[in-house]
Amino acid sequence: MTLNILVTFAQFEREVIGERIRDKVAASRKRGKWMGGWTPLGYEVCDRKLFTNDIDAERVRAIFRRFVQLKSATRLVRELVAANERNRYGHLLDKGVLCKILHNRVYLGEAVHKGTSYPGEHEPIIDRKLWDRSTQFRR
């Protein structure tokens, strides 16, 4: 019986710790903080903050501009694969990676948590006008 009580308290403590962590992450994202994970193309992380990498940021802008011109992710992917374009982790910019780039609101300077966008601490790479034009052709 004592063992069952101890197990119950241990489980309760694990649940409370998990809830606190989820709350902390949500509060940080609402303040626009970068909470880790794969660093988006065009940014670098320093002291848990995103800073623009000018060379990669220009690549991201070029991808968005070219997507608006072509109006097709498939044609853009063919161009990127033919040019052997890769992200910073060495992955080829295939259709999956391209779709993640085109849908990532971090490029607008926003932080997203569970589908809700908040103003981020970092500088945007893509301006709102280019983002809006690109959304016309995304599915």
Side-chain angles (χ1 to χ4, degrees):
M1 186 163 106
T2 304
L3 183 60
N4 284 341
I5 292 171
L6 292 174
V7 168
T8 302
F9 277 113
Q11 178 65 27
F12 176 72
E13 187 173 352
R14 280 192 298 272
E15 289 172 5
V16 168
I17 289 170
E19 190 174 316
R20 285 183 185 158
I21 290 170
R22 283 189 294 276
D23 289 346
K24 181 181 179 196
V25 169
S28 295
R29 294 302 282 173
K30 286 178 184 176
R31 288 193 309 269
K33 299 210 178 278
W34 172 252
M35 292 305 296
W38 292 80
T39 308
L41 183 65
Y43 289 102
E44 292 185 11
V45 177
C46 183
D47 296 327
R48 293 185 49 175
K49 292 187 178 187
L50 290 177
F51 292 97
T52 306
N53 175 324
D54 294 331
I55 295 168
D56 286 341
E58 187 51 44
R59 287 177 61 200
V60 171
R61 286 185 203 100
I63 287 171
F64 271 86
R65 286 192 298 262
R66 189 67 180 141
F67 177 69
V68 169
Q69 289 173 346
L70 293 175
K71 300 178 177 90
S72 168
T74 305
R75 284 191 268 164
L76 180 55
V77 166
R78 286 188 195 131
E79 287 184 7
L80 295 172
V81 169
N84 200 27
E85 288 284 337
R86 296 180 181 272
N87 66 9
R88 74 166 38 96
Y89 304 107
H91 299 129
L92 199 61
L93 292 180
D94 60 6
K95 193 161 187 177
V97 174
L98 178 64
C99 287
K100 286 181 183 177
I101 289 172
L102 293 174
H103 287 89
N104 195 346
R105 298 187 70 87
V106 76
Y107 295 121
L108 278 174
E110 296 178 356
V112 179
H113 182 69
K114 296 194 176 196
T116 305
S117 296
Y118 304 99
E121 296 183 322
H122 58 281
E123 291 295 318
I125 290 178
I126 304 297
D127 62 355
R128 175 59 74 171
K129 185 177 177 183
L130 181 57
W131 177 268
D132 290 341
R133 284 189 302 175
S134 72
T135 57
Q136 297 171 2
F137 311 112
R138 284 189 258 148
R139 293 185 188 117

